[in-house]
Amino acid sequence: MTPEFSPDWLALREKADTRARAAELLEPLRAALPEGPLVVHDLGCGTGSMGRWLVPLLPRPQRWVLHDRDPRLLARAEAGIPAPAETRAGDLTALTADDLAGASLVTASALLDLLTAEEVDGLAQACTGAGCPALLTLSVAGEVEFSRPDPLDPRFSDAFNEHQRRLSGGRKLLGPDAVQTTVEAFVRRGAVVHSRRSPWRLGPGELLRQWLRGWVEAACEQRPELLPHAADYQRRRFDSEVAIGHVDLLAIGGAPCSTDSGPGSGS
């Protein structure tokens, strides 16, 4: 399976990430930012691709605080981001408003679908408690559309989505349910949430091959009965074009709450 956090994989996907992110959210983001220099906390920063994309689009002095559990990735991100940066290694799921004190903005990329409902709720609590907007990009939406349909597409897609929602170390991952869960968590706290689709659009090439290999292997791990079909299915798909659904969210405003009052909805 493609390692989600390997530096080589993150480097290979960076151009696709950059093309996919929803630039329409930049205008409301800029309007929500405080005046003066910015302090941006990037959660699960990987090799720093979010900073390389966003720093030039926010043309004013910035300092970035890079959070990740992998010191190797943090070192690469600190060296590669075009702004002054500091690093913080640790568990992202335990962050509080105090950890984000002084933040002008919280960002994350390809993170929400790896969290649980409780962890997403904690993230919304931390961001609203710190009083800063949150730009959360490239969350898996559970939608894969090939240019030429294949009879096995629905079986592999359903199995992959089940795998994304799996139990991992006792944690029930959200997978493609993460977007709605995150919207509800922020809206419960009074935030306004803007959402935009941000699909990857891939053609034949190494990124498609590696993504497809990981997608198929995850599906087969979830449903072993698909294993006999996997090799032929991949060969039929290596020269395809595919749209892989993601969603970007921008949460603005709100305040922390001590108890959950029920689901809400965003716009």
Side-chain angles (χ1 to χ4, degrees):
M1 191 181 303
T2 301
E4 290 175 331
F5 309 113
S6 88
D8 290 344
W9 167 248
L10 295 175
L12 181 63
R13 64 174 285 171
E14 184 164 345
K15 289 184 179 179
D17 288 349
T18 297
R19 289 192 299 268
R21 287 192 182 99
E24 308 96 301
L25 294 179
L26 290 172
E27 184 175 352
L29 170 61
R30 294 188 187 104
L33 292 173
E35 295 183 0
L38 302 175
V39 178
V40 183
H41 285 248
D42 189 21
L43 311 184
C45 66
T47 60
S49 65
M50 172 65 87
R52 285 188 288 276
W53 174 70
L54 190 56
V55 167
L57 300 172
L58 302 176
R60 65 168 101 166
Q62 299 169 48
R63 179 170 64 85
W64 281 60
V65 183
L66 307 171
H67 298 255
D68 208 285
R69 63 184 180 185
D70 188 333
R72 300 169 306 161
L73 295 179
L74 283 170
R76 288 199 181 200
E78 185 180 21
I81 192 171
E86 63 178 90
T87 62
R88 295 185 187 177
D91 182 4
L92 300 175
T93 65
L95 289 176
T96 67
D98 289 342
D99 297 312
L100 302 176
S104 312
L105 171 66
V106 169
T107 65
S109 187
L111 175 67
L112 298 179
D113 42 275
L114 303 174
L115 302 180
T116 68
E118 294 77 12
E119 291 161 359
V120 160
D121 199 67
L123 174 62
Q125 181 87 351
C127 292
T128 54
C132 61
L135 178 65
L136 309 169
T137 70
L138 298 175
S139 296
V140 169
E143 302 160 354
V144 173
E145 184 177 350
F146 289 94
S147 55
R148 298 189 308 276
D150 185 283
L152 287 176
D153 289 346
R155 293 180 64 187
F156 276 98
S157 184
D158 290 347
F160 177 81
N161 289 339
E162 289 175 12
H163 185 271
Q164 291 290 94
R165 297 182 177 104
R166 70 191 182 280
L167 278 171
S168 177
R171 298 165 58 246
K172 180 68 165 65
L173 305 185
L174 284 168
D177 302 323
V179 170
Q180 184 60 31
T181 301
T182 303
V183 169
E184 291 171 357
F186 275 94
V187 169
R188 278 198 300 274
R189 292 165 171 84
V192 174
V193 182
H194 304 269
S195 67
R196 296 292 184 275
R197 293 189 175 275
S198 53
W200 270 6
R201 299 189 186 279
L202 306 184
E206 186 59 23
L207 179 56
L208 174 63
R209 293 178 69 88
Q210 289 205 26
W211 168 81
L212 183 63
R213 187 175 297 116
W215 190 70
V216 167
E217 287 180 8
C220 291
E221 182 179 307
Q222 187 68 26
R223 294 187 187 176
E225 66 271 20
L226 292 173
L227 274 168
H229 307 286
D232 285 343
Y233 178 76
Q234 286 185 76
R235 279 194 289 270
R236 294 198 300 272
R237 286 341 220 150
F238 279 146
D239 63 348
S240 300
E241 295 181 351
V242 60
I244 303 160
H246 297 94
V247 175
D248 291 3
L249 299 177
L250 173 63
I252 300 171
C257 60
S258 58
T259 59
D260 289 339
S261 57
S265 60
S267 64

